[in-house]
Every structure is written in structure tokens, then in C-alpha cells.
Amino acid sequence: MKVLVPVKRVIDYNVKVRVKSDGSGVDLANVKMSMNPFDEIAVEEAIRLKESGAAEEVVAVSIGVKQAQETLRTALAMGADRAILVVAAEDVHQDIEPLAVAKILKGVIDAEQPGLVLAGKQAIDNDMNATGQMLSALLGWSQATFASKVEIEGEHAKVTREVDGGLQTIKVKMPAIVTVDLRLNEPRYASLPNIMKAKKKPLDEKTPGDYGVDVAPRLEILKTEEPAERKAGVMVGSVDELIEKLKTEAGVL
Amino acid sequence: MAVLLLAEVTGGELNLDATSKAVAAAAQLGEVTALCAGASAAAAGEAAAKIDGVAKVLVAEDDSLGHRLAESTAALIVSLAGDYEHIVAPATTDAKNVMPRVAALLDVMVISDVSGIVDGATFERPIYAGNAVQTVKSKDATKVVTIRTSTFDAAGEQAAAAVETVSAAADPGLSEWVEDHVAESDRPELTSAGRVVSGGRGLGSEENFELIEKLADKLGAAVGASRAAVDSGYAPNDWQVGQTGKVVAPELYVAVGISGAIQHLAGMKDSKVIVAINKDEEAPIFQVADYGLVGDLFDVVPELTEKL
């Protein structure tokens, strides 16, 4: 079985996000970029499937700017076998919408015929939480989102999902789209020898046109603003003072 | 302008809080038809009919809809979609599972986690874990929207609207339910609770988390946790408050032993009153707290629990 893993280049999760003062977006120039943390978990799971013998090949795919090459090299250094980069934007500030990403991925999947797609449940930049579900719809495949456990059982996958109030286990027909949640695994760090080896692994470059996809956005971004700030509060000196303030000032007790 | 609203139905029961908040938001867009789907959904339909702003309720009952599986639920919504300009749901995990699938089947973009409605095509939504708010205008004919319920007040009650039944779409048979592991608890549900007490890594162990639970029970509050506490195994994941967990906006939020990472703040900074208890006076949580108390939580929390 071949496993396909879409990965996205996003602002590093440790970097403080700065909203541009003209409202045009978030400043991404000269900011540290990394692989979306949920996608790292997906890559890790795919590699573990290969190590356990359930998968033969792991293919990483990224859709975005040319610099997403680095993200794909990270996936290759972790253990993916080869990579496909679909260059869909020139400006690092241009985000390709999940619908267009899903359409391009459908094209890649039609060509690659994987038995399983493992994707992050959401990207930490646009927070849409949509690409996996949309891809599943376009392919007419089964979907299992927010996975905290994945077991391949022949023609099916048994997936435990993180849902409101607890966990749900479902059995989906393969081929399937599985989107992964935080607790599925802890991604490995790439070792230096593997980082060197990754430089020699194949990385194909494509364009959206190769798959006949128009990436023009459906949502026009009118403005991007800082969220409303909370007023600075007060420090209290004791539990008694805290209870007093909550009773009289805040009126919540 | 008609709106189809997917009501939150679990095990045949309506989640009134999430659904009525989504109705309040959807009513700004047009006349609301609420869809209640499930293996049994008639009782949920009757409850939904009494939410102020619901003009009509559609009830779809079929075994294939029994466990909110995405494929069959999305097929049902798409079969009804032609009559509506907006398709709306509260941003629960179930709706986040289903709605992007609906959008792709209709060849439109989904607009997730909407925190503000500007007009019928223009919406505000948080991005970058709530560090920015984006205003987007949809060019699609049908707008598929999930609503961040913590930013809308629940709709009130009304005399019951009409209830009709509709048929499920053909079951694509792609997935089947195996089991649910639902945590049983007498405490209020985290996302709708009026008071929340959350613990962080400062608790140090799963056993010590009992301090949080005792304080919560004294306050009649739900229990939450930071991602650090969940990752450390002190608390189950469905207690997690933050961008990668649940978003809450209670009247009172008490953060104990939580440093206040950006991703946690994203899940609770819309709370009306925030109390922070931490031994580190430099902790970022104090920058969003209305009342901060610097101290050892192992002294402060038992004292607070006793004196309340």
C-alpha cells in the first residue's frame, strides 16, 4: 500500500504572529516557517505504517510556494520516500484555499493511486479544518477525522476519533482519508544523516495546471485585524481579597 | 433568503445550547429551517421547533444517520441544499466533520468557525489560533458556515414551529460505527458551562488534578485543562481548552497553574471574568486575567475551595 501525506508550510508555532498595521494580513516575511504540526503527526504515522510493514511507500505532497520544498525535505528526512511539490503561489502571503488544495490533491491521487491518505486535521495558519473532508468528498472516499488511533485491518481501517465529550471508534472502507489529531503519536526528529540522505530523494515539481485546477480564491479577504485586547486586570494579595472582588466587583459569585 | 441549519443531535437528543446559539447567528442571515438527523431524531426535532427563530424543522430518521457519520449526513444535507442560500451548523466536532464535505460536494468553500456576521456573504473568523481576525466575503452562491458558538448568545424560546419529515439520502456504505467512549460526568458540559476551572502543568500529576475537580465542584463548574496538562497525562483530551481543544466563554474562568500559552488563551480569552492563580508572577496568563493571584496553588486552591 502506498500512503500519501499532504504537508503545509506554515508559520512556526513558536513564533509570535504579527498582524500588519494596514490590515492586509499577517506578516510572513523573514519569519521562521515550519511544517504544520498536525502534518508532522501524519508523516510520523505514515512512516510507522511503513516500518510495521502495512505500507510500502510514503509520498509527501505540498501545495503552495516554491519554498515549500524545505517542508517536503523535512518530510523526506523523517522517512518519506519521495515528494511532490505543486507550485501554486509566488507570494508567501498567498494562501491556497482548502477547496483548491483538495482539487489538486485529487489530481495527484488519481495519478498516484494511494491506498490511504493521512493528513493533519487543520493548518495552524488559516485554521479551516477542511482539506481532508473536502478531498474525501471529491474522491467519494470514506473519511475519518481527528484520529487518535489508526489500525489497518485489510480492506478497512479502524480509527478512534477525538470528538466532543470523548472518543468515537469507526471502521472505514479503504481507500480512506484520515485526518490526525494531536494525541496520535509524537513525531520523531530527523537525524543529521537522514537530513543529508533526504537531499538525494526525488522531489517532483508540478503546477495546478497539470491537474486542470483553478486556484482562484472563493473567499475574498477584506481585512485582517488584531483581536480585541482584554483590559489589564488587577493583582490581589490573598484568597479573601479574591473572593471579595469576585462577589462585589465582578458579581460572579 | 433561506437558511438550512444542521442541529446538533447526539444519541437522539438535541444539544440545545450549541443549536440555539447557532440559530441566533443563523437568524441574522434569513429564515431558519432546522434539520435534525439521527437514527431517532423526532424528540430532538420537537425541541428544536421551540427555539426562537426556527421557522420550520425537518426530521430525518434512518439507521445510516445514527452516529453522525460524515458520508451519510453530508449526502442528506446535499439532497436538501437546493432550496437554501446558507447552510449553517454550530462548530462542534460533528459539524466540523460534516460541513467541509458538504461544501466540497456543492463546489463551494466552507467558512469555518465564524465569530461574527457582517452581512449575508461577509463573515469574521479567527485565524492563527485567534491571534488575528479575518473578514472574508464569499463569492459562492451557497455559503456553508460553521458558527463559533461561544461568541453568540443562545436564542430564546417560542411556540413550536411546524415539523416535517424528510427521507435520508442513499447510504454510501463507506463507514460504520464501532463504539463510543463518552466520559460520564455530573458536571456541566465544558463548552456551555457558566463557570470553568482549568488546571495546567503546574498541578504536576493526575492525582493533584483532584484539587481542580474539588474547586470546580464547589463552584458548580466544568473542569478544563491546558494542552500541557493533557500532553503530560494529567487530564483527558476532551477537557482540553485551547485552539486545539475546546473554545469556551463562561461567566467565570479560573486558570490554575496555567502559564498562558497563546494556544490556551485562544480557547478562553472571551470569558467574561478570568481569574489566574500561578506561582510565577511573570506568567503571560496574568496579562489576560481580570484578577491575578501569585501563590502556590497547593496552598491557594484548597483555601479557596474551603472559603467559597
Side-chain angles (χ1 to χ4, degrees):
Chain A
M1 179 177 72
K2 188 191 284 186
V3 181
L4 194 105
V5 187
V7 297
K8 187 176 186 182
R9 178 182 186 265
V10 298
I11 194 166
D12 187 89
Y13 75 99
N14 284 314
V15 171
K16 182 156 170 49
V17 171
R18 216 172 56 82
V19 178
K20 290 197 264 186
S21 54
D22 64 359
S24 66
V26 164
D27 195 357
L28 296 177
N30 306 314
V31 169
K32 186 183 178 204
M33 305 293 279
S34 298
M35 188 190 298
N36 179 42
F38 291 103
D39 302 350
E40 266 189 314
I41 295 169
V43 173
E44 175 66 34
E45 194 66 15
I47 296 164
R48 287 186 191 186
L49 285 176
K50 191 183 167 189
E51 287 168 349
S52 73
E56 283 92 50
E57 191 184 27
V58 176
V59 181
V61 185
S62 194
I63 294 152
V65 289
K66 191 125 185 164
Q67 293 91 319
Q69 267 191 19
E70 297 157 20
T71 316
L72 287 168
R73 291 288 173 204
T74 304
L76 293 170
M78 287 173 73
D81 296 292
R82 60 191 173 86
I84 300 167
L85 171 64
V86 182
V87 181
E90 282 179 16
D91 181 352
V92 294
H93 293 93
Q94 188 190 342
D95 190 35
I96 309 297
E97 287 176 352
L99 182 61
V101 170
K103 287 179 177 179
I104 292 170
L105 286 174
K106 180 180 183 297
V108 174
I109 285 162
D110 287 342
E112 293 282 340
Q113 301 287 319
L116 175 68
V117 176
L118 284 167
K121 77 162 180 179
Q122 78 189 65
I124 61 164
D125 51 4
N126 66 33
D127 283 331
M128 276 286 185
N129 189 336
T131 301
Q133 298 90 312
M134 291 188 133
L135 175 60
S136 170
L138 297 178
L139 289 163
W141 288 11
S142 61
Q143 74 179 51
T145 50
F146 324 143
S148 64
K149 193 174 178 191
V150 179
E151 296 162 279
I152 308 296
E153 298 175 342
E155 299 299 299
H156 292 89
K158 199 165 129 190
V159 179
T160 301
R161 308 176 52 235
E162 306 261 7
V163 296
D164 292 338
L167 299 170
Q168 181 191 52
T169 303
I170 60 171
K171 204 165 114 180
V172 296
K173 198 183 263 183
M174 304 277 268
I177 311 282
V178 175
T179 78
V180 308
D181 216 321
L182 283 175
R183 289 199 302 175
L184 181 61
N185 61 48
E186 274 196 39
R188 69 193 66 191
Y189 289 103
S191 66
L192 189 59
N194 285 341
I195 292 170
M196 300 311 288
K197 259 191 268 176
K199 291 183 178 166
K200 297 203 180 84
K201 288 184 179 176
L203 191 157
D204 278 349
E205 248 185 60
K206 301 278 190 185
T207 66
D210 293 338
Y211 305 103
V213 176
D214 177 6
V215 299
R218 304 293 187 83
L219 303 180
E220 184 189 349
I221 298 168
L222 301 183
K223 62 182 173 189
T224 306
E225 295 167 305
E226 297 256 11
E229 291 253 345
R230 284 188 77 93
K231 273 190 306 216
V234 297
M235 301 303 282
V236 294
S238 69
V239 167
D240 293 321
E241 193 187 343
L242 176 63
I243 293 172
E244 178 62 23
K245 293 242 186 224
L246 290 176
K247 276 187 178 152
T248 56
E249 208 173 86
V252 290
L253 286 184
Chain B
M1 303 299 162
V3 182
L4 180 66
L5 180 129
L6 178 65
E8 180 76 1
V9 179
T10 308
E13 263 182 61
L14 182 74
N15 178 332
L16 183 64
D17 182 74
T19 305
S20 58
K21 284 173 177 168
V23 168
Q28 298 179 37
L29 299 166
E31 192 177 85
V32 177
T33 299
L35 171 64
C36 293
S40 71
E46 279 175 33
K50 292 180 192 149
I51 299 173
D52 186 22
V54 171
K56 188 165 80 175
V57 173
L58 302 179
V59 170
E61 291 189 322
D62 192 90
D63 284 345
S64 69
L65 300 167
H67 298 281
R68 304 101 71 208
L69 296 172
E71 298 88 347
S72 46
T73 309
L76 168 67
I77 295 170
V78 169
S79 75
L80 301 167
D83 298 334
Y84 303 94
E85 190 183 346
H86 296 89
I87 302 176
V88 176
T92 58
T93 49
D94 282 348
K96 287 175 173 178
N97 189 30
V98 169
M99 297 296 266
R101 191 174 179 101
V102 170
L105 292 171
L106 297 173
D107 191 27
V108 303
M109 249 309 279
V110 68
I111 308 164
S112 312
D113 246 343
V114 163
S115 56
I117 295 171
V118 179
D119 61 40
T122 312
F123 304 91
E124 293 171 357
R125 56 182 301 273
I127 56 172
Y128 289 94
N131 283 294
V133 179
Q134 199 166 60
T135 306
V136 295
K137 185 174 180 184
S138 172
K139 299 176 201 170
D140 288 317
T142 308
K143 286 84 178 169
V144 177
V145 175
T146 62
I147 300 290
R148 175 170 282 211
T149 49
S150 63
T151 53
F152 292 90
D153 292 327
E157 284 181 47
Q158 65 175 14
V163 179
E164 294 174 17
T165 56
V166 290
S167 314
D171 179 10
L174 290 167
S175 58
E176 55 187 281
W177 173 82
V178 178
E179 61 182 344
D180 284 335
H181 275 285
V182 179
E184 292 292 336
S185 169
D186 295 334
R187 297 195 184 101
E189 200 250 326
L190 186 53
T191 51
S192 58
R195 294 170 176 178
V196 174
V197 181
S198 286
R201 189 151 43 192
L203 269 300
S205 74
E206 191 180 353
E207 292 72 42
N208 290 343
F209 225 82
E210 260 184 35
L211 290 174
I212 300 298
E213 296 180 53
K214 280 184 186 151
L215 176 57
D217 290 342
K218 194 73 179 272
L219 283 164
V223 178
S226 69
R227 179 173 159 190
V230 171
D231 284 350
S232 305
Y234 305 166
N237 190 57
D238 53 307
W239 288 6
Q240 190 190 145
V241 172
Q243 184 64 16
T244 50
K246 295 193 169 67
V247 178
V248 302
E251 292 289 318
L252 174 63
Y253 188 90
V254 185
V256 180
I258 291 176
S259 65
I262 291 167
Q263 98 89 24
H264 183 76
L265 302 184
M268 45 65 82
K269 65 187 162 74
D270 291 331
S271 306
K272 297 247 162 49
V273 174
I274 297 174
V275 173
I277 298 166
N278 203 299
K279 67 177 179 204
D280 175 12
E281 60 186 293
E282 303 291 325
I285 190 77
F286 288 123
Q287 288 162 25
V288 301
D290 299 283
Y291 302 102
L293 179 53
V294 177
D296 186 339
L297 69 91
F298 296 104
D299 299 328
V300 172
V301 174
E303 186 186 345
L304 182 58
T305 307
E306 194 196 310
K307 287 184 174 167
L308 279 168

